[in-house]
């Protein structure tokens, strides 16, 4: 494996499918994080999770025994509100998603009205909604049909759950909303969009050329990091890299344990 720990300052990890699956930590994940931190590397997490805040995610990771007390965690739950503020200023919004998402939007300075409200709102924000319904689909499509802007946390169709089962994600709902509303334009801020990668490098004030992105999703982790100018490591879990992906990873490993072994061997040379 042609990757030396000494060559890079920061190691950025996806979460679902990379560090853990559901509530199970992948073997060697803790050892890898410990090794990088002992070597003085920046360890960060960049997730398209729009259901939970970074604080909630951190508590989960700590409960799994992972050393993340001070590691930056960026999730689209919080990023989307900041993105809207940076680009448009304070807005009146309607939102589909978790209560944590709605609170994050309010905390940044936006006003959030209930879905289907008659209040004038220029933007509909869509994140993962585990109670998505037919009525919500109707309300979203009606809002967009009269000219509202659609901004979404991420476009993933699913994320991996326990045992490799596919868990529906934001992108699945977005496709239904777009189809019913008859629209094609959507702004997404999660991976592979540039905004997520710009924000993660700002956390540590280093350039993308000093960063390694480790993830399992060819279309979000690998594509976004490649476009940002980062070194990419794809965890394949034994799968073949898809032919329709827009870029190839710099390194392919089957498991996070294989990445740990490769880094440790490189460090001994």
């Amino acid at each position: 494996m042609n990757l030396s720990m000494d060559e890079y300052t920061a190691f950025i990890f996806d979460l679902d499918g990379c560090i853990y699956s559901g509530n199970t930590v992948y073997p060697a994940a803790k050892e890898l994080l410990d090794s990088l931190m002992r070597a003085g590397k920046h360890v960060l997490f960049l997730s398209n999770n729009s259901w939970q805040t970074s604080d909630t995610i951190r508590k989960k990771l700590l409960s799994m025994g992972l050393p993340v007390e001070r590691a930056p965690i960026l999730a689209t739950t919080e990023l989307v509100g900041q993105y809207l503020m940076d680009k448009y200023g304070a807005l009146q919004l309607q939102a589909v998603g978790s209560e944590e998402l709605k609170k994050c939007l309010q905390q940044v300075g936006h006003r959030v009205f209930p879905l289907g409200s008659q209040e004038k709102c220029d933007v509909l924000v869509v994140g993962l909604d585990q109670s998505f319904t037919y009525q919500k689909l109707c309300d979203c499509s009606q809002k967009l049909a009269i000219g509202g802007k659609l901004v979404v946390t991420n476009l993933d169709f699913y994320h991996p759950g326990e045992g490799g089962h596919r868990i529906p994600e934001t992108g699945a709902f977005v496709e239904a909303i777009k189809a019913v509303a008859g629209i094609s334009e959507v702004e997404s801020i999660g991976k592979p969009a540039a905004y997520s990668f710009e924000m993660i490098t700002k956390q540590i004030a280093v350039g993308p050329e000093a960063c390694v992105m480790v993830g399992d999703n060819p279309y979000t982790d690998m594509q976004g990091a490649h476009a940002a100018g980062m070194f990419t490591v794809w965890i394949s879990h034994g799968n073949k890299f898809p032919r329709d992906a827009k870029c190839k990873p710099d390194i392919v490993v089957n498991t996070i344990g294989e990445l740990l072994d490769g880094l440790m061997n490189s460090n001994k040379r």
Side-chain angles (χ1 to χ4, degrees):
M1 187 182 77
N2 188 26
L3 173 60
S4 170
M5 200 182 293
D6 295 334
E7 296 179 53
Y8 297 93
T9 302
F11 287 74
I12 304 163
F13 293 88
D14 178 45
L15 289 171
D16 271 325
C18 178
I19 297 297
Y20 59 76
S21 174
N23 292 310
T24 304
V25 178
Y26 286 120
K30 181 179 185 300
E31 290 81 359
L32 175 58
L33 300 180
D34 279 331
S35 297
L36 291 170
M37 290 175 180
R38 284 197 304 269
K41 304 301 178 182
H42 293 289
V43 173
L44 309 92
F45 301 94
L46 181 60
S47 174
N48 276 0
N49 185 330
S50 64
W51 183 253
Q52 301 170 315
T53 64
S54 57
D55 284 343
T56 305
I57 294 169
R58 190 183 307 279
K59 289 175 183 176
K60 174 177 180 174
L61 296 177
L62 288 170
S63 72
M64 292 175 162
L66 298 171
V68 298
E69 291 85 351
R70 292 180 292 277
I73 300 172
L74 273 70
T76 55
T77 317
E78 293 147 317
L79 287 176
V80 65
Q82 190 60 56
Y83 167 85
L84 290 169
M85 187 62 72
D86 291 345
K87 187 169 183 178
Y88 301 108
L91 297 170
Q92 296 195 154
L93 311 170
Q94 291 181 20
V96 174
S98 69
E99 290 305 311
E100 291 198 31
L101 172 64
K102 295 169 188 176
K103 287 178 182 177
C104 287
L105 291 168
Q106 292 173 327
Q107 288 170 353
V108 175
H110 304 296
R111 295 186 68 189
V112 181
F113 293 94
L115 187 62
S117 169
Q118 297 306 305
E119 295 286 343
K120 185 181 184 301
C121 297
D122 297 318
V123 174
L124 171 67
V125 176
V126 177
L128 177 61
D129 190 332
Q130 295 181 1
S131 59
F132 195 73
T133 63
Y134 181 84
Q135 185 58 53
K136 288 181 180 181
L137 176 58
C138 292
D139 290 339
C140 289
S141 59
Q142 289 169 9
K143 170 65 183 172
L144 296 171
I146 59 174
K149 182 184 294 291
L150 177 60
V151 177
V152 305
T153 56
N154 60 300
L155 290 171
D156 304 62
F157 290 139
Y158 62 88
H159 67 259
E162 295 281 359
H165 297 296
R166 294 184 175 187
I167 308 299
E169 256 287 357
T170 309
F173 306 135
V174 172
E175 286 301 304
I177 292 167
K178 287 167 56 182
V180 177
I183 64 169
S184 58
E185 290 189 7
V186 55
E187 291 183 42
S188 176
I189 62 93
K191 297 174 292 183
Y195 186 79
S196 292
F197 292 93
E198 291 168 359
M199 295 301 286
I200 198 78
T201 53
K202 283 183 180 180
Q203 289 284 312
I204 49 175
V206 301
E209 69 282 352
C211 299
V212 176
M213 177 73 211
V214 183
D216 70 304
N217 191 316
Y219 305 103
T220 58
D221 303 322
M222 299 298 98
Q223 183 177 316
H226 177 82
M230 297 179 181
F231 191 91
T232 55
V233 178
W234 183 52
I235 301 177
S236 70
H237 299 296
N239 299 312
K240 291 184 178 180
F241 199 76
R243 292 183 178 181
D244 63 346
K246 295 182 179 179
C247 65
K248 291 184 177 180
D250 293 300
I251 286 177
V252 176
V253 295
N254 284 315
T255 65
I256 200 90
E258 187 177 325
L259 175 58
L260 172 63
D261 291 342
L263 286 172
M264 293 301 98
N265 290 334
S266 297
N267 205 39
K268 291 176 183 177
R269 295 171 188 169

